[in-house]
Amino acid sequence: QVQMRESGGGLVQAGGSLRVSCLASGLPSSRVTMGWFRQAPGKERETVAAITWSGGGIYYADSVKGRFTVSRDNAKNTLYLQMNSLKPEDTAVYYCAAAQAYGGSLLYTEVRSYDYWGQGTQVTVSA
């Protein structure tokens, strides 16, 4: 059974930092592209960042470039998102997901490309 479990969300003041983590287990293969996504109330889910299995391919949404850093530890099956200089508009439920196609070698930026999803963790940034 595949489980994607996010942790580390919470409440932070604008300008602050937070790191969210995602532990993956039960994946048919560990060679997956992984991504972080977020969904604010009344809005569609959007891609925040993505990273290939090797870490050689990384994508960031324009809205988080220079503030967020995605990384992964394949030995621990864990994905991270370091979020700095947080803004109130970053408030959302953050989800992690994994895409299995092509052994994690391709960088997928679309929500529909991902196969396995976590339940999400709330990140709230106060003004």
Side-chain angles (χ1 to χ4, degrees), residues 4 29 55 73 105 118:
M4 309 283 290
S29 170
D73 184 336
S105 62

Side-chain angles (χ1 to χ4, degrees), residues 14 17 19 25 31 34 40 43 48 50 59 61 72 86 88 94 97-98 101 114 120:
S17 297
R19 188 177 81 158
S25 61
R31 289 182 177 255
M34 298 188 77
K43 295 189 177 181
V48 174
Y59 163 84
R72 62 191 296 168
L86 282 160
Y94 282 71
Y114 286 77

Side-chain angles (χ1 to χ4, degrees), residues 27-109:
L27 289 169
S29 170
S30 61
R31 289 182 177 255
V32 292
T33 297
M34 298 188 77
W36 284 103
F37 306 81
R38 66 187 182 188
Q39 188 166 17
K43 295 189 177 181
E44 292 188 354
R45 190 170 298 189
E46 63 174 351
T47 306
V48 174
I51 183 169
T52 56
W53 182 82
S54 69
I58 291 178
Y59 163 84
Y60 294 105
D62 287 343
S63 58
V64 306
K65 279 181 183 176
R67 301 188 298 121
F68 290 12
T69 302
V70 63
S71 61
R72 62 191 296 168
D73 184 336
N74 290 334
K76 296 181 179 179
N77 293 322
T78 302
L79 177 72
Y80 303 99
L81 184 68
Q82 177 67 44
M83 302 181 287
N84 298 328
S85 302
L86 282 160
K87 304 175 181 180
E89 50 263 45
D90 294 318
T91 295
V93 177
Y94 282 71
Y95 300 88
C96 67
Q100 285 208 171
Y102 295 99
S105 62
L106 298 183
L107 191 60
Y108 297 105
T109 61

